Amino acid sequence: MGPALFERVVAGVAPLAEQAYFHLLGEPLAHPRFAEYVGLCSRRGLPVNITTNGTLLGGARAEALLDPIVRQVSFSLHGFIANSAGRDIGPYLAAIFEFTRRAFEVRPDLYVNYRLWNLAAADEAANAPIIARVERAFGVELKGGADVRWRKGRRVAGRLYLHFDTRFDWPSLSAPPNAGRGTCRGLDDHFGVLSDGTVVPCCLDADGVIALGDLNRQTVAEVLAGERCRAMERGFREGRLVEDLCRRCAYIARFARGRAASSGTMLP
């Protein structure tokens, strides 16, 4: 996303959203203007959450992550595990640990999550040595497993948490449809904006299948007031999945027990 569009998007969402998330499948630290974009959010008073695999951590990027406007940084350690192909995880974790210690010093209010979203997956066995490294790095002993049905986070030290979850499949129109019943948090507590300005209802529609509008030529308010948005919202309230992609989304089953109430915007 270029700077003109990004500033337009931030100006539109800042009065509406509690926070912006710099992710929608992509890696935010790969953006050459990452630090600048964090600064734009700061000037608009829009708190930021960052989800990153951490492989590009360092220099100006790390300093931008410590900006006071950043509320939380989540490191997807499971991403490195899934793509490491036998590589030594030591240097990767050392850089993340170094960042975390610095955050303890200069941003003790910053939440830091180490994500292991691979429970019940083939590579879950790789979690144990990572947890052991975390214990040694921060002088703690973490006992017991994680039952993600009730509690996903385990505090390590300060505002550092291990965060566990199961792996999920990205929805696709090629997947088999479900019964067409269900609800979702999309358009309830978040929506997404792709790098070309396309508005999507949730953080799982990275391909823009459900294109709700275009922020190059519409305002955020205009898009959210559109009939396609309203039809989806009505459907979710009534337990109906009106969009074909939603009817082929396995993740939606996780919301069967209720819906949360916080608001945010996903930005690439």
Side-chain angles (χ1 to χ4, degrees):
M1 184 181 290
L5 177 57
F6 186 86
E7 189 158 15
R8 176 180 170 86
V9 172
V10 171
V13 302
L16 305 175
E18 294 177 358
Q19 54 199 329
Y21 294 73
F22 279 21
H23 73 92
L24 212 164
L25 185 63
E27 167 53 51
L29 299 190
H31 199 295
R33 294 179 177 267
F34 173 74
E36 177 186 340
Y37 285 7
V38 171
L40 285 171
C41 288
S42 180
R43 289 194 288 277
R44 290 283 182 177
L46 180 63
V48 173
N49 273 305
I50 304 293
T51 298
T52 172
N53 59 35
T55 57
L56 299 176
L57 190 63
R61 298 183 184 93
E63 289 304 307
L65 290 176
L66 296 172
D67 188 293
I69 201 64
V70 179
R71 176 178 289 175
Q72 177 174 271
V73 179
S74 297
F75 293 101
S76 297
L77 305 187
H78 54 271
F80 186 92
I81 294 172
N83 297 282
S84 62
R87 292 163 52 198
D88 181 9
I89 200 171
Y92 166 73
L93 289 177
I96 292 175
F97 294 164
E98 180 182 356
F99 169 84
T100 305
R101 294 189 188 98
R102 178 157 166 72
F104 285 168
E105 295 175 2
V106 303
R107 282 292 315 279
D109 60 320
L110 178 68
Y111 287 96
V112 179
N113 291 326
Y114 294 169
R115 286 182 174 179
L116 292 168
W117 286 12
N118 59 354
L119 300 189
D123 55 10
E124 181 185 349
N127 292 356
I130 291 178
I131 294 172
R133 287 177 183 260
V134 172
E135 290 177 322
R136 291 195 297 271
F138 297 99
V140 297
E141 185 176 0
L142 303 170
K143 296 181 179 180
D147 187 341
V148 298
R149 295 173 300 175
W150 316 111
R151 182 185 178 195
K152 296 184 179 183
R154 296 184 62 191
R155 181 176 173 273
V156 178
R159 293 194 172 183
L160 169 64
Y161 290 81
L162 283 173
H163 195 270
F164 298 92
D165 210 338
T166 52
R167 183 165 292 160
F168 62 88
D169 295 321
W170 290 84
S172 168
L173 292 177
S174 63
N178 57 35
R181 301 291 300 177
T183 188
C184 182
R185 293 176 183 167
L187 295 177
D188 180 17
D189 64 10
H190 74 279
F191 63 92
V193 185
L194 303 184
S195 59
D196 64 357
T198 299
V199 178
V200 292
C202 76
C203 57
L204 297 183
D205 188 6
D207 294 325
V209 174
I210 308 174
L212 300 173
D214 180 359
L215 294 188
N216 289 285
R217 55 186 180 82
Q218 295 172 280
T219 67
V220 173
E222 287 171 343
V223 173
L224 296 181
E227 180 52 36
R228 196 172 187 182
C229 278
R230 291 181 178 275
M232 290 189 70
E233 290 174 321
R234 287 193 300 268
F236 290 149
R237 286 195 299 268
E238 298 167 3
R240 295 182 296 106
L241 306 178
V242 301
E243 291 284 346
D244 196 22
L245 186 67
C246 299
R247 291 190 290 268
R248 299 170 187 274
C249 177
Y251 196 88
I252 210 164
R254 302 187 180 204
F255 303 133
R257 294 188 178 183
R259 305 167 79 188
S262 65
S263 67
T265 302
M266 308 287 181
L267 303 177

